[in-house]
Amino acid sequence: MKILGLDSSGLVASVAIVENDELVAEYTTNYKKTHSQTLLPMLDELRRMIELDLQTIDAIAIASGPGSFTGLRIGSATAKGLGLALDKPLVEVPTLEGMAWNLYGSDRIVCPLMDARRNQVYTAAYEFLPDGGGFRLNTVIPQGPVDIHEILEKLAGLNRPVIFLGDGVPVYRGEIDKQQGLQYAFAAPGNNRQRAASVAALGAVYFAKGQTVSAGEHRPEYLRRTQAEQEAERSGARREGTGG
């Protein structure tokens, strides 16, 4: 089984190939360039380095959201285009699950934090439970956009050690440090941001279970409306309030 993984849901751009439970190649950058400039050139470089025939992949695993609206659209368009051109299925991997997979097998509660601005984060909480000779990912707190204080209080209430990762950590570390009753640690560099290797690895698990969609069916999962949609709704409400 050969899975191509793509993740452009945040500041990180990442592509990877996982084959039969082995990471063959990964190209990840966390720099100030738009994903429209980086994602396809990164894939092309990775393809040339490992002499990859894209026709040999079984599926394309895409970080499906939540995340940056622009980043998700670019990743989605890239995955859909490749899926249509290669006639390959897509595996939709929720961004937060992919991030949690970075810490596969951890005995702590794993909590990805993605900065959603205005004191909000896209977040969830997961645990790894024994499953045969490995582990499976179990959701402890479902994903959603929530206030940082709300998720920290819920985590403290679990009375279990937590490990945090994601670009929300440096933004809200002060709030994490102040949360009473919370036992916590932070993921190390290399595993504390999105990685296409994890998207591909978890995508392989879902692919084996038949959890795929066609390229035409795929849609990003934003979890909340775009700024333009929110502004349009507020504008409509104002017009209704003034009778015109």
Side-chain angles (χ1 to χ4, degrees), residues 209-230:
K209 295 179 179 180
Q211 296 173 212
T212 66
V213 298
S214 69
E217 292 172 318
H218 169 64
R219 297 290 184 276
E221 185 174 13
Y222 296 115
L223 287 190
R224 72 179 187 188
R225 292 164 298 167
T226 66
Q227 187 70 24
E229 290 171 330
Q230 294 178 49

Side-chain angles (χ1 to χ4, degrees), residues 128-177:
F128 286 96
L129 300 178
D131 184 21
F135 296 91
R136 63 179 175 87
L137 193 65
N138 182 58
T139 301
V140 177
I141 299 175
Q143 68 175 11
V146 300
D147 183 271
I148 184 61
H149 301 100
E150 179 183 340
I151 185 65
L152 292 178
E153 288 174 3
K154 286 183 178 180
L155 290 169
L158 296 176
N159 197 32
R160 293 176 60 184
V162 179
I163 185 162
F164 291 102
L165 70 158
D167 60 27
V169 169
V171 178
Y172 297 107
R173 181 159 184 166
E175 302 305 317
I176 296 171
D177 290 339

Side-chain angles (χ1 to χ4, degrees), residues 48-164:
R48 290 191 296 107
M49 287 292 291
I50 63 172
E51 300 176 342
L52 172 68
D53 178 358
L54 286 171
Q55 288 288 352
T56 65
I57 67 173
D58 294 292
I60 301 161
I62 176 69
S64 59
S68 154
F69 295 121
T70 301
L72 289 175
R73 283 194 291 267
I74 292 169
S76 174
T78 302
K80 286 167 74 74
L82 288 168
L84 289 169
L86 301 169
D87 192 24
K88 301 294 182 180
L90 271 58
V91 183
E92 297 173 325
V93 177
T95 303
L96 297 167
E97 291 186 14
M99 294 174 69
W101 207 254
N102 289 4
L103 303 175
Y104 178 84
S106 174
D107 60 356
R108 293 173 175 259
I109 295 291
V110 179
C111 182
L113 297 175
M114 298 179 68
D115 183 22
R117 309 291 176 85
R118 305 188 192 91
N119 268 357
Q120 283 203 325
V121 289
Y122 296 120
T123 189
Y126 303 97
E127 62 183 350
F128 286 96
L129 300 178
D131 184 21
F135 296 91
R136 63 179 175 87
L137 193 65
N138 182 58
T139 301
V140 177
I141 299 175
Q143 68 175 11
V146 300
D147 183 271
I148 184 61
H149 301 100
E150 179 183 340
I151 185 65
L152 292 178
E153 288 174 3
K154 286 183 178 180
L155 290 169
L158 296 176
N159 197 32
R160 293 176 60 184
V162 179
I163 185 162
F164 291 102

